[in-house]
Amino acid sequence: MLSRGAFVLFAQALLALNTVQAQSSTNTSTTSTEQYTGILKYKPSFAANAAFGAIYAVLGLMFSFHIIRRNDKWALCLPLGAFFSAAGYFIRLKLDPLNVRIMTYVLQQLFIIVSPSAFLAFNYMLYGRLITAVDPKFDGYSKSQSKMEKSRFSFIPPLIVGRTFVWSDAISFFVQMAAGGMLATASMRGTGNTLFIVGVSVQGISYCLFTALFTVTAMRLVADRHRNSMGQKGKGMDSNTRFIVVGLYLSSVFIVTRSIYRIVEFTQGYSGYLISREVYMFALDAAPLILAIGVWSVVWPPALLATIAVETRQREQTPGQDQV
């Protein structure tokens, strides 16, 4: 029910986005470039911001429901990021381009730009737990397990991978927080903009490296499943593992798309083309990130991990019983 509501809200947001685009195209050469000369170059769309804020809020509630029901505390970063993103878009409803309150502007910027760090953190941790589920010889979350313990599916110890990328994400988070604070002072906005570029770039590069590592893991997993299912009707990954692998790839594509947009936007500065037109923020930031986390609203990954772990260990005990 919640998932259907989220998709309905997303459809409404797209309709609002079309309205914003139409208004932007008709007003680009007049009102938006002549009347609004401050730090905010357009009048925020009430409908679009309210719709995207509502979508993030609904997704946050969905993830919270799963976490409370299953006690998946490690996944708390996902709903927290969704709620903070929702707060950012709701705060934008208070923005007036003719009378911009700097602290309000900075606050919505921080919520919208920094919150996605939580989405990346979730994917990083999901990777480590996927390795634990598919490799019965590796128990990364056992107290007796060494941090340097390797899995046959990862050429870098999974625990090191998770902690390294989460720390990288945390560093980019604090860099962007510092950059957001500088926006409150006119003389520091140039430095703040540069720090935003650094923070988002570090985040994007780090995630691209993670995606490359995950690709190696996926290839090894497919090869392993094919070896174990030789002569069987069903070959390759089981459906649950396949969903998480494909979900991580889809999520990664949308996250990288958003990162590229933000890097280009901040490179252009506060008088640039992208930052002066709200429609691009919705189309290249809000929508891609909703899709990046929305994939996990279809089926809750921790629930799949539990099933994968059980089936993998049963398969190890009875070789050749691979599932489709």
Side-chain angles (χ1 to χ4, degrees):
M1 184 68 70
L2 282 173
S3 181
R4 182 181 299 178
F7 285 122
V8 170
L9 286 172
F10 187 67
Q12 292 176 343
L14 291 180
L15 291 175
L17 183 58
N18 289 332
T19 302
V20 174
Q21 188 174 13
Q23 292 175 345
S24 176
S25 62
T26 57
N27 296 333
T28 296
S29 61
T30 56
T31 305
S32 61
T33 56
E34 296 176 3
Q35 183 178 357
Y36 307 135
T37 58
I39 192 172
L40 186 62
K41 301 296 192 298
Y42 53 80
K43 182 175 179 59
S45 167
F46 184 93
N49 282 289
F52 279 110
I55 293 171
Y56 275 115
V58 169
L59 288 173
L61 289 172
M62 291 173 61
F63 299 142
S64 297
F65 169 76
H66 289 303
I67 290 173
I68 294 173
R69 184 170 61 92
R70 291 180 45 85
N71 197 30
D72 295 318
K73 295 180 181 178
W74 67 270
L76 276 171
C77 55
L78 194 57
L80 286 176
F83 285 135
F84 280 119
S85 293
Y89 285 100
F90 288 142
I91 290 173
R92 288 178 59 81
L93 300 177
K94 298 292 185 180
L95 289 177
D96 180 0
L98 296 178
N99 183 26
V100 180
R101 294 184 179 181
I102 295 301
M103 289 308 300
T104 302
Y105 180 84
V106 170
L107 194 60
Q108 61 87 27
Q109 278 282 80
L110 283 175
F111 280 148
I112 292 174
I113 295 174
V114 178
S115 292
S117 296
F119 307 151
L120 275 65
F122 175 82
N123 285 358
Y124 294 148
M125 291 187 287
L126 179 59
Y127 167 82
R129 282 165 171 78
L130 176 62
I131 295 294
T132 301
V134 298
D135 189 353
K137 298 179 181 178
F138 176 80
D139 187 5
Y141 298 93
S142 171
K143 293 182 179 179
S144 60
Q145 189 83 32
S146 169
K147 293 180 181 179
M148 299 306 295
E149 185 74 22
K150 290 186 178 181
S151 165
R152 67 180 186 269
F153 299 117
S154 178
F155 62 87
I156 299 177
L159 289 183
I160 297 297
V161 171
R163 286 179 170 84
T164 299
F165 284 109
V166 168
W167 272 109
S168 172
D169 197 37
I171 291 172
S172 68
F173 172 85
F174 288 116
V175 169
Q176 292 175 72
M177 285 286 288
M182 291 180 180
L183 295 180
T185 305
S187 61
M188 297 292 288
R189 283 174 193 164
T191 303
N193 189 68
T194 301
L195 278 180
F196 263 131
I197 296 175
V198 171
V200 175
S201 297
V202 168
Q203 191 179 68
I205 293 172
S206 176
Y207 200 83
C208 286
L209 292 174
F210 166 76
T211 303
L213 176 64
F214 177 64
T215 298
V216 174
T217 296
M219 292 172 63
R220 290 185 176 184
L221 184 57
V222 170
D224 179 80
R225 292 295 185 261
H226 273 286
R227 274 195 307 271
N228 292 338
S229 61
M230 290 300 258
Q232 300 295 317
K233 182 179 180 180
K235 293 185 178 181
M237 297 181 190
D238 61 272
S239 59
N240 292 325
T241 303
R242 190 184 304 117
F243 179 87
I244 292 182
V245 169
V246 173
L248 274 171
Y249 271 122
L250 288 175
S251 182
S252 298
V253 167
F254 294 125
I255 287 173
V256 171
T257 298
R258 179 262 181 188
S259 296
I260 293 173
Y261 159 69
R262 283 299 183 181
I263 291 172
V264 174
E265 179 195 50
F266 287 125
T267 300
Q268 292 180 347
Y270 278 90
S271 297
Y273 183 85
L274 291 179
I275 203 170
S276 301
R277 290 157 178 83
E278 188 180 32
V279 64
Y280 292 110
M281 182 191 71
F282 293 136
L284 298 175
D285 188 299
L289 287 179
I290 283 174
L291 293 173
I293 63 174
V295 65
W296 306 129
S297 69
V298 179
V299 180
W300 184 234
L304 296 183
L305 290 175
T307 302
I308 293 170
V310 172
E311 293 178 349
T312 300
R313 282 145 185 80
Q314 289 177 346
R315 190 181 301 120
E316 287 289 318
Q317 295 173 0
T318 54
Q321 300 298 316
D322 208 17
Q323 297 185 4
V324 178

